[in-house]
Amino acid sequence: GGVDKGVDFANYFCTYGFLYHQKEMLCDRVRMDAYYNSIFQNKEHFHGKTVLDVGTGSGILAIWSAQAGAKKVYAVEATKMSEHARELVKANNLQDVVEVIEGSMEDITLPEKVDVIISEWMGYFLLRESMFDSVICARDRWLKPTGMMYPSHARMWVAPIRSGLGDQKMSDYESCMDDWYNFAKETKTYYGVDMSVLTKPFGEEQKKYYLQTSIWNNLHPHQVIGVPCIIKEMDCLTATVSEIRDVQAAFSSSITTDLTRLCGFAGWFDVHFRGSKENPARHEIELTTAPSEENGTHWGQQVFLLQPSLRVRKGDDLIVSFSMSRSKENHRLMEVELGCEIREASGVHHPRFTKRFSIE
Amino acid sequence: GGVDKGVDFANYFCTYGFLYHQKEMLCDRVRMDAYYNSIFQNKEHFHGKTVLDVGTGSGILAIWSAQAGAKKVYAVEATKMSEHARELVKANNLQDVVEVIEGSMEDITLPEKVDVIISEWMGYFLLRESMFDSVICARDRWLKPTGMMYPSHARMWVAPIRSGLGDQKMSDYESCMDDWYNFAKETKTYYGVDMSVLTKPFGEEQKKYYLQTSIWNNLHPHQVIGVPCIIKEMDCLTATVSEIRDVQAAFSSSITTDLTRLCGFAGWFDVHFRGSKENPARHEIELTTAPSEENGTHWGQQVFLLQPSLRVRKGDDLIVSFSMSRSKENHRLMEVELGCEIREASGVHHPRFTKRFSIE
Ligand SMILES: Nc1ncnc2c1ncn2[C@@H]1O[C@H](CSCC[C@H](N)C(=O)O)[C@@H](O)[C@H]1O
Ligand SMILES: Nc1ncnc2c1ncn2[C@@H]1O[C@H](CSCC[C@H](N)C(=O)O)[C@@H](O)[C@H]1O
């Protein structure tokens, strides 16, 4: 409700119209292996079945579904990428099985209900892009009561981390402010205008940009300094929009690394392909975007920086509150509030602090 | 007509809402000096007058107009930057003269007609952004019959150039295609999907990106290898939208550098502050964005690459046709068609070729 389609296209869909962008996803081996294995190691979920691919992009998941034996695959794509998908389907000789439909999932009509909904709908930190809304809409309209979701489950994780990013961003911010002071001085000298009243709003704008916007990063596992916590679990068969619109969690995490610095928190997700209760997967597949030495993904992790960082030691407890909601200006972006209290193993309790971030 | 306001805001206005972006313009000394001098060296055009600043941004031109003695300045700005402009006006003690109005020029109403319209409406290669439309609209509605425009005149230039950018972009394009071939091979091997049908559209997409989109560059004057030509002259007092919607020109340019390579063409603009016929400027000021060793601007030049480059020598003539129109998808972006025929001094005539470019 209330979303201007043209604006949504300008802000969101437009990038998906480029093969370059689709290729980036198709080159993510962790992502590709997970979907590929989930389909081909559970062929019986596809064999002779009708499948709906929500947001087919290049058509890859629809093609795999057909190759695994689906009777019919509806491949829905909002952008002109649908034309490339249609070509790809034909070139792989699956035009009798895969029907590419250009349109937004919310608007189009299928001739029948389906056995399986497959979709790669996950954005940064799972929910950015809010594309799962479209999957829910598809599910409620087009999935048979006995149908199943691919993936079937999703989880969001948060963990305390150390990172050099905070100091780097802080120094970027500071040199940007130095620039500003210089600019303000010169503008006064050469052009007779006093800019100092804009120093505060400029500083706020830049602070928001450098320090209050989460940062994409593929962290090394060693950078995780405490116990990762699940802040949200979702059954894709039953999840509702109201359940994902606001995500709130309170948890505590113990520091597991000795004498280190708490530089912020990282958020990531995993999804599982488990089939359904009646038809569990023969081979359960996991797709995780957790920090990993070898298996980084294009999703990476979202880093929420604390600046300055705080000294912590093994055994300290972090009492954390996390809340994420959609940005008022753009429902596909998020606002996060993170509260944290450090309880040292020594017994000392530090005062609670709260920080706000945007996921852009 | 036909422009969705929300989409226009998402695509265009949004960046102007950031002080960071306004600061980039405020740091362009060539730009600042030209407007500053045009106002303060022609104070009599402002003293006791009513002024309209179309797209006031930070408010700088409105403030200068007031400092030069204007009786009243209406400073219109479409974005929330208007709030910062209002603060800046107050901090410089001009709130009794400058009235900041938040709104789009096309929508707002002024209580009176004005003597001077000042505006910094120029985009890359003059017309990108199509903001002059809004100035025309303001002029036709709010300028007194005796009023004047600041700037008063504008010109577009094109010249043949040499540049290493073409080879660089070509090699970027080629390595991007190598990546693609590798990707296609791996996708076939590991994931059983034949991607080759997408090679051609991917190649076209990348060629468009690397080679058929004009490139921002601040060229060195030595890179201009032939006589620059004016392809459009405009009197800001009389210009109409239909006159700038399509720009067409045919010209010939002689190569002035011996034994060099024609790597493409560069486009730039200049504007002049001449007051009006009845009230000519005491000191005529020019703002040029031509290639310059010392005085680069944030506009730079737009480079249209020919790939491969062509050998030319002093005295060769280039017979050029140029045409620029607005992109159908976004009226603030441009499509260019460049035709060129080389007539060697030796008498040999090369066949004419034509290239298309986008200005994004
Ligand atoms: N509501 C909607 N209706 C149709 N397509 C949508 C949609 N929301 C997002 N999409 C499309 O969904 C795609 C998500 S990216 C995933 C592409 C492809 N399934 C793959 O796994 O490689 C994009 O191409 C996007 O344009
Ligand atoms: N139709 C319109 N109505 C109101 N403002 C407009 C407009 N079209 C463009 N603008 C504003 O015009 C400004 C152009 S940039 C120039 C800013 C300022 N005059 C300076 O010289 O520094 C932007 O801030 C943009 O938001």
Side-chain angles (χ1 to χ4, degrees), chain B residues 216-227:
Chain B
W216 183 95
N217 204 237
N218 258 317
L219 295 161
H220 189 283
H222 285 159
Q223 294 181 266
V224 176
I225 59 168
V227 181

Side-chain angles (χ1 to χ4, degrees), chain B residues 82-100:
Chain B
S82 59
E83 294 173 9
H84 297 311
R86 207 170 282 126
E87 288 305 307
L88 195 65
V89 165
K90 231 191 270 167
N92 286 272
N93 214 20
L94 297 164
Q95 65 276 20
D96 295 341
V97 178
V98 180
E99 184 174 332
V100 176

Side-chain angles (χ1 to χ4, degrees), chain A residues 4-7 10-11 17-21 23 26-30 32-33 36 40 58 60 63-64 67 81 84-85 87-88 91-92 176 179-180 183 186-188 190-198 201-202 205-206 210, chain B residues 4-7 10-11 17-21 23 26-30 32-33 36 40 58 60 63-64 67 81 84-85 87-88 91-92 176 179-180 183 186-188 190-198 201-202 205-206 210:
Chain A
D4 178 312
K5 290 217 165 192
V7 173
N11 282 330
F18 292 96
L19 283 164
Y20 184 86
H21 187 60
K23 174 171 169 279
L26 296 168
C27 285
D28 181 332
R29 297 293 290 262
V30 173
M32 292 290 275
D33 284 347
Y36 184 83
F40 288 98
S58 62
I60 188 78
I63 287 172
W64 284 342
Q67 287 174 337
M81 192 49 55
H84 297 310
E87 288 305 308
L88 196 65
N92 286 272
C176 180
D179 258 18
W180 171 270
F183 154 73
E186 299 211 329
T187 305
K188 182 74 204 151
Y190 294 108
Y191 303 116
V193 176
D194 180 355
M195 287 276 161
S196 56
V197 72
L198 296 183
F202 181 78
E205 183 187 296
Q206 295 310 304
Y210 286 112
Chain B
D4 179 312
K5 291 218 164 192
V7 173
N11 282 331
F18 291 96
L19 284 164
Y20 184 85
H21 186 60
K23 174 171 169 280
L26 296 169
C27 285
D28 181 332
R29 296 293 289 262
V30 173
M32 292 291 275
D33 284 347
Y36 184 84
F40 288 98
S58 63
I60 188 77
I63 288 171
W64 283 342
Q67 287 175 336
M81 192 50 55
H84 297 311
E87 288 305 307
L88 195 65
N92 286 272
C176 181
D179 257 19
W180 171 271
F183 154 73
E186 298 211 328
T187 305
K188 180 76 203 150
Y190 294 109
Y191 302 116
V193 176
D194 181 354
M195 287 276 161
S196 55
V197 72
L198 296 183
F202 181 77
E205 183 187 297
Q206 295 311 303
Y210 285 112

Side-chain angles (χ1 to χ4, degrees), chain A residues 299-325:
Chain A
W299 284 290
Q301 297 86 42
Q302 286 291 304
V303 171
F304 305 93
L305 293 170
L306 302 179
Q307 189 62 30
S309 59
L310 299 159
R311 202 157 49 111
V312 290
R313 39 172 31 119
K314 197 166 180 160
D316 288 355
D317 278 324
L318 308 180
I319 315 300
V320 184
S321 66
F322 177 96
S323 119
M324 182 169 98
S325 56

Side-chain angles (χ1 to χ4, degrees), chain A residues 13 16 22 31 55-56 60 77-78 103-106 131 134:
Chain A
F13 282 110
Y16 285 115
Q22 296 286 341
R31 187 191 92 106
T56 199
I60 188 78
E77 170 59 37
S104 115
M105 194 62 234
E106 288 77 357
M131 184 181 158
S134 304

Side-chain angles (χ1 to χ4, degrees), chain A residues 8-118:
Chain A
D8 203 28
F9 196 89
N11 282 330
Y12 172 66
F13 282 110
C14 56
T15 55
Y16 285 115
F18 292 96
L19 283 164
Y20 184 86
H21 187 60
Q22 296 286 341
K23 174 171 169 279
E24 279 185 332
M25 298 185 287
L26 296 168
C27 285
D28 181 332
R29 297 293 290 262
V30 173
R31 187 191 92 106
M32 292 290 275
D33 284 347
Y35 275 88
Y36 184 83
N37 292 333
S38 77
I39 296 169
F40 288 98
Q41 293 182 17
N42 298 288
K43 275 190 171 176
E44 59 280 10
H45 285 168
F46 293 84
H47 193 86
K49 299 291 165 57
T50 52
V51 178
L52 166 59
D53 178 7
V54 179
T56 199
S58 62
I60 188 78
L61 304 183
I63 287 172
W64 284 342
S65 301
Q67 287 174 337
K71 188 170 70 186
K72 180 82 196 178
V73 184
Y74 300 101
V76 179
E77 170 59 37
T79 73
K80 286 280 166 210
M81 192 49 55
S82 59
E83 294 172 9
H84 297 310
R86 207 171 282 125
E87 288 305 308
L88 196 65
V89 165
K90 231 192 267 168
N92 286 272
N93 215 20
L94 295 164
Q95 66 275 22
D96 296 339
V97 177
V98 179
E99 185 174 332
V100 177
I101 302 169
E102 184 180 321
S104 115
M105 194 62 234
E106 288 77 357
D107 299 339
I108 62 111
T109 304
L110 300 182
E112 60 178 326
K113 294 214 169 188
V114 299
D115 299 300
V116 180
I117 289 181
I118 192 166

Side-chain angles (χ1 to χ4, degrees), chain B residues 87-323:
Chain B
E87 288 305 307
L88 195 65
V89 165
K90 231 191 270 167
N92 286 272
N93 214 20
L94 297 164
Q95 65 276 20
D96 295 341
V97 178
V98 180
E99 184 174 332
V100 176
I101 302 170
E102 183 180 320
S104 115
M105 194 62 234
E106 288 77 358
D107 299 339
I108 61 111
T109 305
L110 301 182
E112 59 178 327
K113 294 212 171 192
V114 300
D115 299 301
V116 181
I117 289 182
I118 192 166
S119 180
E120 198 281 75
W121 51 267
M122 298 86 76
Y124 290 155
F125 200 16
L126 194 67
L127 295 179
R128 185 181 172 280
E129 300 183 27
S130 295
M131 185 182 156
F132 195 62
D133 290 20
S134 304
V135 176
I136 291 176
C137 167
R139 181 197 67 196
D140 294 348
R141 277 182 77 192
W142 302 113
L143 190 65
K144 290 184 191 169
T146 56
M148 64 176 78
M149 302 293 288
Y150 261 70
S152 59
H153 296 81
R155 297 187 298 189
M156 293 169 71
W157 293 80
V158 169
I161 60 152
R162 61 183 170 195
S163 163
L165 276 173
D167 291 344
Q168 190 187 304
K169 293 289 167 178
M170 188 66 194
S171 108
D172 289 351
Y173 167 70
E174 282 167 352
S175 74
C176 181
M177 290 311 292
D178 287 346
D179 257 19
W180 171 271
Y181 288 116
N182 195 40
F183 154 73
K185 208 178 69 192
E186 298 211 328
T187 305
K188 180 76 203 150
T189 308
Y190 294 109
Y191 302 116
V193 176
D194 181 354
M195 287 276 161
S196 55
V197 72
L198 296 183
T199 301
K200 196 163 159 255
F202 181 77
E204 278 160 12
E205 183 187 297
Q206 295 311 303
K207 199 169 258 166
K208 194 159 169 25
Y209 177 73
Y210 285 112
L211 298 168
Q212 292 160 3
T213 303
S214 61
I215 299 164
W216 183 95
N217 204 237
N218 258 317
L219 295 161
H220 189 283
H222 285 159
Q223 294 181 266
V224 176
I225 59 168
V227 181
C229 295
I230 295 169
I231 60 158
K232 173 82 187 163
E233 288 202 71
M234 220 163 89
D235 180 340
C236 298
L237 205 53
T238 57
T240 61
V241 173
S242 75
E243 176 191 335
I244 56 172
R245 206 183 276 125
D246 297 284
V247 174
Q248 277 170 342
F251 61 91
S252 75
S253 171
S254 290
I255 298 298
T256 49
T257 306
D258 212 9
L259 270 180
T260 185
R261 298 199 73 90
L262 173 66
C263 302
F265 291 86
W268 66 83
F269 68 90
D270 54 27
V271 301
H272 290 87
F273 301 82
R274 300 195 176 121
S276 63
K277 230 180 237 151
E278 302 76 33
N279 283 295
R282 184 199 307 247
H283 298 279
E284 213 175 88
I285 300 293
E286 178 184 76
L287 164 52
T288 176
T289 66
S292 159
E293 224 177 316
E294 307 258 279
N295 295 308
T297 69
H298 78 285
W299 284 290
Q301 297 87 41
Q302 286 290 306
V303 171
F304 305 94
L305 293 171
L306 301 179
Q307 189 62 30
S309 58
L310 299 159
R311 203 156 47 110
V312 290
R313 40 172 31 120
K314 198 165 178 160
D316 289 355
D317 276 325
L318 308 180
I319 316 299
V320 183
S321 67
F322 178 94
S323 120

